[in-house]
Amino acid sequence: MAATLDNIVDTDSEDELPPGWEERVTFEGKVYYANHATKSTQWTHPVSGKKKIVKGDLPHGWEMKISEDGTVYYVDHINEKTTFTDPRLAFAEEVVDTPNDFRQRFDGNSNGMQVLQGLDFTGKYAIVTGANCGIGFETARSLALHGAFVILACRNVESANEACQKILDERPIAKVEVMPLDLASLKSVRYFSETYKCRKWPLHILILNAGVFGLPHVLTEDNIETVFQVNHLAHFYLTMLLKDVLISSKPARVVVVSSESHRFASLTTENMTEDELSPPQSHYSHMKAYNNSKLCNVLFSNELNRRLLPLGVATNALHPGNMMSSQLARNWWFYKLIFTFVRPFTKSMQQGCATTLYCAAVPELQGIGGMYFNNCCRCQPSEKSGDVKLIKKLWEISVKMLNDRSFTC
């Protein structure tokens, strides 16, 4: 959450909020502060800098409810009143050390197994898209070896089954399962989510890892440019379909694997249209398509966190590493050659999955989202990624593109 201190004015009490600020409470009872002028939130009081938490049950006669748009509100049945303010706020307690006070414990040389060392995920369910190879496989493997029930959501089922067997060969009691998911087919995304929900499994970690790069202009069966659909729209649709499962499993986390390439995106509030996101062949550039899709990842992560964090689901985005020798470059011999050449100087796949697992698993990030990470450390994303108008426009276009194809979320 961004710490914005604009328009702070003197007040009679350090606990009094300046004009335009509002005090709110998460499902975990942590107090945070919303600045309506800048549309930002922060954990610390804008005047005193204190952090607070509310404890215990709601007072007698009170009930917490959630509206259809995800807004939390409170009903006082005795006095027949409704409010957006948690009645326990009056008795909030100051805390000195919260999960937001995390320090860097890992860096670009850390690997996924080091990040998860000492953590037990028994009873936790995780979905990893594109888990049959590369970073996705090491992400799934690391979680499974630490007790999680991991679903390998992959287009290539044969390759995914081989990946699953590798994990079982290493740890026969590991809980791993393959479920087919082709992100180039919205019908496949819907079928995957319906199948998952039919199994009545919870979902504690959703890792949106799969992606494509270096493709020529190709349309999916949904008549959408492939890079945009696979890297953003299909993951957007998948998350929307599984949203209720995530909320019911809270605390839960969504991890969006983006890239530093998002800094070179050409999208603006003026040019963002469906044709710009899914361009015709005459206006297509494979690098431009990739960069734009990676910005969409961060924009989506920020808005998803804004909507779902009050419901117990935190979302963060990340960059896994530069030019790692994964199958991301498999679509063009030129990039294969470059990625192979730089392989000795880049991260291994285990190092590549470290930041993903950091966002997915470490206790210090519990209930904290809306951030961007690189080398297991929070860093500032591009200025565009925080553009509220751009975020809103992407969300609206994404929903419209799905609705136009009769895929509702």
Side-chain angles (χ1 to χ4, degrees):
M1 293 187 172
T4 304
L5 300 179
D6 296 339
N7 302 320
I8 299 300
V9 297
D10 292 333
T11 62
D12 294 334
S13 168
E14 65 173 11
D15 289 326
E16 184 177 345
L17 287 172
W21 286 81
E22 181 185 354
E23 201 171 23
R24 299 176 180 173
V25 179
T26 70
F27 266 98
E28 292 79 21
K30 291 188 292 184
V31 179
Y32 67 102
Y33 302 88
N35 185 335
H36 292 290
T38 62
K39 307 297 183 183
S40 63
T41 56
Q42 61 189 58
W43 294 112
T44 56
H45 191 286
V47 176
S48 68
K50 294 179 179 178
K51 299 177 183 178
K52 294 185 177 182
I53 189 171
V54 296
K55 298 180 180 179
D57 297 328
L58 290 168
H60 174 66
W62 284 82
E63 179 185 4
M64 177 190 295
K65 290 192 173 184
I66 304 172
S67 63
E68 290 184 359
D69 65 358
T71 303
V72 179
Y73 63 99
Y74 303 86
V75 179
D76 179 355
H77 292 291
I78 295 177
N79 298 304
E80 298 183 346
K81 293 182 179 180
T82 300
T83 178
F84 294 106
T85 303
D86 190 318
R88 297 170 295 175
L89 272 172
F91 308 99
E93 300 177 11
E94 182 180 358
V95 290
V96 177
D97 184 24
T98 72
N100 199 34
D101 292 325
F102 57 88
R103 60 183 177 85
Q104 186 175 358
R105 296 190 290 127
F106 308 101
D107 56 29
N109 294 315
S110 303
N111 63 48
M113 298 299 282
Q114 291 172 332
V115 170
L116 297 186
Q117 185 175 1
L119 300 179
D120 182 5
F121 292 92
T122 302
K124 302 295 184 182
Y125 283 69
I127 293 174
V128 183
T129 67
N132 57 303
C133 61
I135 296 172
F137 170 71
E138 288 298 333
T139 300
R141 168 179 169 266
S142 300
L143 285 169
L145 294 181
H146 283 80
F149 190 120
V150 184
I151 293 85
L152 283 64
C154 308
R155 177 185 60 83
N156 189 332
V157 175
E158 181 180 355
S159 176
N161 283 328
E162 292 174 358
C164 182
Q165 190 58 51
K166 287 180 183 178
I167 297 172
L168 292 173
D169 289 344
E170 188 171 359
R171 190 186 189 209
I173 62 171
K175 295 180 174 62
V176 286
E177 183 159 336
V178 173
M179 288 180 62
L181 173 64
D182 183 358
L183 295 170
S185 167
L186 295 175
K187 185 184 299 183
S188 174
V189 175
R190 182 169 61 190
Y191 179 78
F192 174 93
S193 64
E194 290 174 349
T195 303
Y196 191 91
K197 287 188 280 191
C198 282
R199 296 185 180 184
K200 305 298 183 182
W201 290 337
L203 179 56
H204 305 97
I205 303 170
L206 174 60
I207 298 177
L208 308 178
N209 165 82
V212 291
F213 168 77
L215 288 181
H217 185 270
V218 179
L219 296 180
T220 68
E221 65 180 46
D222 304 297
N223 200 35
I224 299 171
E225 192 277 313
T226 301
V227 174
F228 174 72
Q229 176 164 331
V230 171
N231 291 3
H232 166 69
L233 189 63
H235 277 140
F236 175 93
Y237 186 39
L238 175 67
T239 308
M240 293 300 97
L241 293 175
L242 294 175
K243 177 181 65 175
D244 291 341
V245 184
L246 286 163
I247 294 171
S248 66
S249 308
K250 64 179 185 289
R253 303 189 196 187
V254 179
V255 179
V256 185
V257 179
S258 180
S259 168
E260 282 290 277
S261 297
H262 86 275
R263 301 184 188 278
F264 307 104
S266 62
L267 295 173
T268 66
T269 52
E270 289 74 27
N271 71 12
M272 183 182 278
T273 62
E274 183 172 335
D275 284 341
E276 185 70 16
L277 294 168
S278 177
Q281 186 169 2
S282 59
H283 291 83
Y284 180 77
S285 160
H286 71 270
M287 186 58 74
K288 178 181 176 182
Y290 182 75
N291 293 345
N292 284 347
S293 72
K294 294 292 102 178
L295 175 60
C296 289
N297 290 158
V298 186
L299 295 171
F300 168 58
S301 174
N302 288 339
E303 178 63 8
L304 186 70
N305 184 73
R306 186 189 71 81
R307 291 172 179 242
L308 297 191
L309 187 62
L311 305 180
V313 182
T315 307
N316 287 299
L318 67 102
H319 170 64
N322 295 320
M323 299 184 72
M324 288 176 290
S325 185
S326 67
Q327 290 197 28
L328 185 64
R330 63 186 178 273
N331 295 301
W332 194 5
W333 68 268
F334 177 70
Y335 286 117
K336 282 184 181 179
L337 181 63
I338 293 178
F339 277 53
T340 301
F341 178 76
V342 302
R343 182 174 184 177
F345 312 103
T346 61
K347 293 181 180 181
S348 68
M349 294 301 103
Q350 252 297 306
Q351 290 174 321
C353 74
T355 306
T356 298
L357 292 170
Y358 183 81
C359 293
V362 295
E364 56 261 40
L365 286 184
Q366 185 64 59
I368 298 174
M371 298 186 292
Y372 176 77
F373 289 82
N374 187 3
N375 292 327
C376 299
C377 180
R378 182 188 180 186
C379 63
Q380 286 299 318
S382 68
E383 186 175 343
K384 286 183 179 180
S385 66
D387 188 324
V388 176
K389 292 182 179 179
L390 200 61
I391 291 172
K392 181 181 179 181
K393 207 165 187 180
L394 174 65
W395 194 281
E396 291 174 348
I397 292 174
S398 299
V399 171
K400 181 180 182 300
M401 291 179 72
L402 294 172
N403 289 340
D404 289 347
R405 292 159 178 81
S406 300
F407 292 99
T408 57
C409 54

